[in-house]
Amino acid sequence: MIKTSELHLTASAKELRKIPSDALVVAVAKGPDGPVLLESPLDPTAARALGDSLQVLGVSGAADEVRRLPGLPDTGADSLVLTGVGPAVPGDALPPETLRRAAGAAVRQLNGLETVVLALPTGTVALAAAVAEGAALGAYRFEGHKSGLRADGTPAPAKDDAAVRAVIVHTAIADDPDLTPALGRATILGKSVNATRSLVNQPPSHLYPESFAQAAKDLSRGLPVKVTVMDEKRLERDGYGGILGVGKGSSRPPRMVKVEYSPAKSAVHLALVGKGITFDSGGLSLKPAAGMMTMKLDMAGAAAVLSTLLAVAELGLPAKVTAWLCLAENMPSGTAQRPEDVISIYGGRTVEVLNTDAEGRLVMADGLAAASEEAPDAIIDIATLTGAQMIALGKRTSGVMGDDGVRDAVKAAADRAGEDFWPMPLPEELRPSLDSDVADIANIGERNGGMMTAAVFLREFVGQVDGEKIPWAHLDIAGPAFNEGSAFGYTPKAGTGVGVRTLLAYVEDVLARAA
């Protein structure tokens, strides 16, 4: 169901005329006195002529600006593509994320081409890797479920707008031995993020708890991981009351999927818990019709932890990682849980359900409690949890909360990966608002600061080892997980795959500190 085709990434330092391609991409900056062609392997005469023509061509060099021109002689490319990097000073190294976005914007807008050469300024392996990552992230297209038929039932003309299949990073350091593994990582990273996007983009008619569990098995095939699917009978037997309560109203029962990667020599054990609400109607606390649009995105956290674990496994990192996918469909019916019901979370804590649309924290409570039993070194959970996240941070910046050490480490990993996360506090005064007269805790509390209140609720279900709470952080990706606007940089419309790059970087950083 989920296609994971990967971009073929290579590097070359050959003369451009010896690299046949459909397009050659070079960078243009937005200089103080107008657009500036940045360092490129173009012939000096051609580069000067092109640079002098930029203003006439209406090129500004702004970020996300991509212009396609006829190919220049002696380049080996059918077309020349100018990609904007925004304000920059010629000669200064560009930040990795600037290169990532410029490469991604170009590759994303060159759908339908087979091979693209990216000749952007790359003086180090890190910068060349950033260009490769941007290309891998930009080379995505969701094929959807279109029939390919006209209204009269006859076949429609074929439309060749598939994602770019091969990218060559043109760089003077093509022979650096560290570049090959960097390109391999970029390939795996792009495949993992794009698989997450495709899971999020699946319609709820096709992706529901049982089919999501099967997708986890399919995507894991060939990798050294173990997939355990807990059906509704096992969930009932073992006491996963959060997932069962949320899934009671649906004809499609819930699942808990545990995916384990346990290399022979592992330096650390990390647990990742992901919210997997395959569709969120709000339950009996029904959302308005407009509020249900895009609610297929509510499983983006589960998709992210699955893809992260599979990337860790494919890269062969020496870290034990366990992913918990908390899958349910939140629907209203005669069997749905009701406001003021009391449910028992895995491990026995009770929750008064005051609002059935605050369901994500209930399934996540089960996952956090179960993950805690295995005493990992740290737990990270990720969820499209609250609309309050968007009110606080907008649609492109995710929130990260939790223990200071883990929270700050996640923020540092996000910065390195090129994702926007912002640390938020967990004010102690929010906890009393979750008190319940009939249960251990209520599932809603203080409305103001709702993103943080939800995190305070989740913190209650993180366990202890030898009397010490397990280090933990919570990532709220409600807005950034789904792009309802126009595509930008390497980010497509709809599912974005946010979180995978940060989580993978976090695992790598933990390993680096443990070495």
Side-chain angles (χ1 to χ4, degrees):
M1 178 180 65
I2 305 300
K3 296 183 179 180
T4 57
S5 58
E6 58 189 57
L7 180 68
H8 182 60
L9 272 169
T10 56
S12 176
K14 293 180 181 178
E15 296 178 35
L16 291 176
R17 60 185 178 83
K18 296 180 180 179
I19 311 176
S21 67
D22 297 302
L24 168 67
V25 180
V26 296
V28 178
K30 190 173 184 180
D33 300 317
V36 180
L37 183 68
L38 295 185
E39 173 191 348
S40 76
L42 292 174
D43 173 81
T45 302
R48 281 194 299 273
L50 178 61
D52 292 342
S53 303
L54 292 176
Q55 284 187 319
V56 175
L57 293 170
V59 175
S60 71
D64 267 11
E65 180 184 66
V66 176
R67 295 293 181 87
R68 193 167 171 180
L69 307 173
L72 294 176
D74 297 326
T75 63
D78 295 335
S79 62
L80 177 68
V81 178
L82 310 178
T83 186
V85 300
V89 177
D92 287 358
L94 295 172
E97 180 62 6
T98 296
L99 286 169
R100 208 177 273 121
R101 292 182 179 181
V107 172
R108 175 176 57 78
Q109 296 183 55
L110 293 174
N111 278 353
L113 300 186
E114 181 78 25
T115 302
V116 172
V117 174
L118 295 175
L120 307 183
T122 52
T124 66
V125 169
L127 295 181
V131 169
E133 289 173 15
L137 297 169
Y140 173 76
R141 178 177 177 272
F142 182 60
E143 297 183 2
H145 299 274
K146 294 183 178 180
S147 68
L149 299 175
R150 293 190 178 99
D152 61 4
T154 60
K159 185 179 181 182
D160 184 15
D161 61 348
V164 171
R165 294 176 175 85
V167 164
I168 301 166
V169 179
H170 192 278
T171 175
I173 59 168
D175 294 330
D176 190 310
D178 291 333
L179 186 56
T180 298
L183 294 181
R185 180 187 183 277
T187 300
I188 292 169
L189 182 65
K191 181 175 71 171
S192 302
V193 172
N194 291 339
T196 305
R197 292 168 171 174
S198 290
L199 282 166
V200 172
N201 289 336
Q202 288 294 329
S205 55
H206 290 64
L207 191 77
Y208 42 91
E210 185 178 8
S211 65
F212 196 155
Q214 184 59 50
K217 290 182 177 180
D218 294 344
L219 290 168
S220 301
R221 194 166 290 125
L223 292 172
V225 303
K226 177 183 178 183
V227 181
T228 303
V229 178
M230 306 177 205
D231 64 13
E232 66 272 28
K233 293 180 180 179
R234 180 170 173 182
L235 294 173
E236 180 74 40
R237 184 191 76 196
D238 292 351
Y240 287 89
I243 294 176
L244 284 169
V246 173
K248 281 172 60 177
S250 175
S251 61
R252 301 189 285 199
R255 296 287 186 269
M256 171 71 89
V257 180
K258 180 183 180 184
V259 188
E260 302 168 83
Y261 169 62
S262 302
K265 295 181 179 180
S266 56
V268 295
H269 177 198
L270 302 174
L272 307 176
V273 180
K275 175 185 174 183
I277 303 299
T278 57
F279 184 76
D280 183 17
S281 70
L284 291 182
S285 303
L286 195 66
K287 295 178 184 289
M292 289 188 216
M293 298 302 294
T294 75
M295 279 299 104
K296 64 181 183 180
L297 70 81
D298 221 11
M299 37 58 65
V305 300
L306 171 64
S307 293
T308 300
L309 182 143
L310 298 182
V312 170
E314 192 166 356
L315 288 167
L317 300 182
K320 179 179 179 180
V321 181
T322 307
W324 300 82
L325 283 61
C326 310
L327 310 180
E329 187 177 60
N330 189 26
M331 298 291 286
S333 74
T335 60
Q337 70 178 357
R338 298 156 290 255
E340 297 191 317
D341 276 359
V342 173
I343 61 175
S344 294
I345 299 300
Y346 182 83
R349 295 286 304 281
T350 58
V351 178
E352 183 181 14
V353 180
L354 297 179
N355 187 324
T356 65
D357 195 22
E359 85 300 328
R361 63 199 71 183
L362 301 178
V363 303
M364 296 288 280
D366 273 342
L368 289 167
S372 296
E373 273 194 345
E374 299 189 345
D377 296 305
I379 301 176
I380 307 289
D381 78 67
I382 180 169
T384 48
L385 203 61
T386 66
Q389 177 274 321
M390 290 181 276
I391 294 172
L393 297 174
K395 293 186 176 181
R396 294 192 185 182
T397 302
S398 301
V400 55
M401 293 143 275
D403 302 319
D404 291 352
V406 188
R407 181 198 63 197
D408 294 346
V410 169
K411 168 62 173 153
D415 290 345
R416 180 166 75 84
E419 292 193 312
D420 291 327
F421 277 79
W422 193 252
M424 299 292 286
L426 292 179
E428 289 302 326
E429 65 268 20
L430 294 177
R431 175 58 184 86
S433 71
L434 292 166
D435 287 344
S436 167
D437 293 333
V438 298
D440 294 327
I441 194 170
N443 78 324
I444 58 171
E446 175 65 44
R447 183 172 181 272
N448 296 321
M451 173 176 61
M452 297 177 291
T453 304
V456 168
F457 175 92
L458 293 177
R459 184 177 59 183
E460 294 284 313
F461 299 91
V462 178
Q464 297 184 349
V465 176
D466 297 330
E468 296 290 332
K469 182 172 166 294
I470 298 170
W472 158 81
H474 161 63
L475 282 58
D476 195 333
I477 58 170
F482 201 85
N483 176 25
E484 296 183 60
S486 300
F488 59 94
Y490 46 70
T491 302
K493 292 183 65 175
T496 65
V498 70
V500 175
R501 292 152 57 199
T502 293
L503 291 174
L504 178 59
Y506 173 78
V507 174
E508 293 170 331
D509 290 348
V510 170
L511 287 172
R513 288 192 291 271

